Amino acid sequence: MSCSILKNIKSDFFILIITCFIGGVGYTQNDETVRIIKLDEAIQLGIQNNNQIKLANSDVVIANENLSQTKIAKTPILGLNMGYNYIGNPKIYDGFYEKSIDVDYFNHQASASFLASMPLYYGGVINNQIDKQKLIVSMQESVVKMTETEIKQTITSQFFTLEKLYKQIEVTKQNIINTELRIKQLKSRVENGQNLKSDLLRTELQQSNFEVSVFRSTNSIELISNYLDILTGLPTNTKLKPVLDGILIPKTDSSLDESLSEAYQNRYEIKRSEINVKIAESSLDITKSGFKPNINANLLLNTQYPAQWPNYTTNTLNYWGAGVSLNWDVSSFYNIKHRINSDQEQINKSNIALEATKDVINQDVKSAFVRFAESVKNISTFKKDVDLALSNYKIVKSRYDNDFAVISDIVDAELQLNEAKISLNNANIDSIIQYYFLQYAMGKL
């Protein structure tokens, strides 16, 4: 009897070694097709290659070009007009086309003129338009920064989620190995009448659940890797595996009030809302400029042949002129009052939007602050769970080795221990994710 048990133990041990070897080889083969990536590298690739950031930068370039175009309104307006005509000799008819007389006329006619106009005073509208366009440039620049921050946060979240999935697969594969060993043992014990067949079926069901879990996690890794490929500009279908070298579970000593204060100073959403208020105020200044006159300095140079003046029909005429012109739309005194009211309402709306943005940021910071504190506390809780599960496993194993517990008891103890390890790993990763969420909420990412 003891010899048979010894043979079974040796056989099970051999199977465990082969299974571990095969599992390790299969995992290594899969790793050959993945790209190892660090968080800093992923973020840098995202800033360089992400299409959303490229679009935002294009808007900055367009806004700067529009600013240059707006500044041109301060420069002189130059115009050149030239013309040449060949006119045939006219005929003068007597009566209704009865008899005609040819007139020797000047066949060649030419003229040229040069006009220059320089704006002197437009009621401040040009300067206000330039200031408004500068604000739009600042707005687009803040959009770039906001987009970069959002991409950083998304990459960070997906990066650590990917690491969580790899750890889950790693632990679950160990569960599969352990369960396969227990199934081998149970089959032998069921044949010998030491265990019920229901114990075997239950363990096989657990193994099937583990395999489904690995399959789902593998698919999730494929999907998240593809999403990170898009975010970072890497070739699609590149499978990624994160490396957490140098990344520790972070700590923060900031209070909630300090975090809120930093968020109000750093978040680009607030800066953007403040710029929107200034743009609305600038639009009102531009509208009010309609009450004021426009003054231009003008210069004219002209040459004409023939002169077409009495007694000078065979001569070339040259003349120049310089002066000042004033244009005042008097009807604007009653026509633009509704535009002024509309602009004032837009200012009020922008101020309300600014306060609403602060409310959203306030909620973001409070939520991130509470969730981070909660995640840190969860780590100590799950550490305790691992210690308890490990103690329970040692007790159950000791009882099983002394035939005081059935194999299903030790299978359950192993499952509890591995689940506790997964929960602890997830808690560590969640703490890092929540820390970066807090940094994002504070505008420090």
Side-chain angles (χ1 to χ4, degrees), residues 400-412:
Y400 174 77
D401 292 340
N402 291 283
D403 293 330
F404 289 107
V406 296
I407 195 168
S408 59
D409 293 333
I410 195 169
V411 169
D412 290 340

Side-chain angles (χ1 to χ4, degrees), residues 77-324:
I77 299 174
L78 305 178
L80 179 64
N81 182 33
M82 301 179 69
Y84 167 80
N85 294 311
Y86 178 86
I87 301 177
N89 292 332
K91 290 179 179 289
I92 300 177
Y93 289 90
D94 185 13
F96 189 73
Y97 294 99
E98 295 176 358
K99 183 172 63 174
S100 64
I101 302 173
D102 289 335
V103 179
D104 186 12
Y105 196 71
F106 294 100
N107 303 110
H108 301 280
Q109 288 186 351
S111 65
S113 62
F114 173 79
L115 175 66
S117 179
M118 178 70 180
L120 297 179
Y121 177 73
Y122 271 47
V125 64
I126 296 178
N127 289 333
N128 288 331
Q129 288 174 341
I130 292 174
D131 291 340
K132 181 178 179 179
Q133 194 58 46
K134 287 180 179 178
L135 291 171
I136 293 175
V137 172
S138 298
M139 169 76 74
Q140 296 302 331
E141 290 174 346
S142 69
V143 170
V144 172
K145 295 298 183 182
M146 285 174 55
T147 306
E148 287 183 358
T149 303
E150 290 170 359
I151 295 300
K152 286 180 183 179
Q153 172 57 28
T154 305
I155 289 175
T156 301
S157 177
Q158 298 301 315
F159 179 88
F160 288 111
T161 301
L162 202 58
E163 171 65 15
K164 186 190 298 185
L165 289 170
Y166 273 107
K167 289 295 184 182
Q168 288 177 358
I169 290 176
E170 182 181 337
V171 175
T172 306
K173 281 186 174 181
Q174 186 60 49
N175 284 342
I176 293 174
I177 293 172
N178 295 340
T179 307
E180 285 178 350
L181 175 60
R182 300 304 178 194
I183 288 173
K184 295 295 182 182
Q185 293 176 341
L186 275 170
K187 285 181 178 179
S188 175
R189 294 173 71 91
V190 168
E191 291 176 357
N192 295 330
Q194 295 174 290
N195 280 89
L196 298 175
K197 191 174 181 179
S198 59
D199 293 333
L200 175 60
L201 294 176
R202 177 187 174 191
T203 308
E204 288 177 337
L205 178 61
Q206 288 173 337
Q207 184 186 37
S208 177
N209 290 334
F210 289 147
E211 291 171 349
V212 170
S213 176
V214 170
F215 178 70
R216 289 177 175 174
S217 296
T218 301
N219 288 338
S220 297
I221 286 174
E222 294 286 346
L223 294 175
I224 294 176
S225 292
N226 188 70
Y227 186 31
L228 281 172
D229 291 339
I230 295 172
L231 291 173
T232 58
L234 291 172
T236 54
N237 299 322
T238 301
K239 191 174 179 180
L240 302 176
K241 189 174 190 308
V243 176
L244 272 61
D245 292 345
I247 298 179
L248 303 175
I249 298 175
K251 297 180 180 179
T252 179
D253 297 328
S254 299
S255 65
L256 178 58
D257 291 338
E258 291 172 342
S259 299
L260 284 171
S261 178
E262 289 194 54
Y264 291 149
Q265 292 176 5
N266 300 329
R267 285 287 288 267
Y268 287 101
E269 289 88 341
I270 290 183
K271 296 178 181 179
R272 185 181 180 185
S273 296
E274 290 173 345
I275 292 174
N276 271 329
V277 173
K278 293 179 180 179
I279 289 176
E281 292 172 348
S282 180
S283 296
L284 177 60
D285 292 336
I286 292 172
T287 302
K288 288 182 177 180
S289 298
F291 288 126
K292 301 174 183 178
N294 299 335
I295 301 175
N296 293 287
N298 304 311
L299 174 66
L300 174 65
L301 300 176
N302 185 77
T303 182
Q304 182 176 327
Y305 175 84
Q308 300 294 330
W309 284 12
N311 303 324
Y312 294 100
T313 56
T314 61
N315 299 101
T316 299
L317 173 66
N318 288 333
Y319 66 91
W320 65 272
V324 177

Side-chain angles (χ1 to χ4, degrees), residues 3-18:
C3 182
S4 174
I5 294 174
L6 181 60
K7 287 182 179 179
N8 288 337
I9 293 174
K10 289 181 178 179
S11 176
D12 292 338
F13 182 77
F14 178 76
I15 292 171
L16 176 60
I17 296 298
I18 295 298

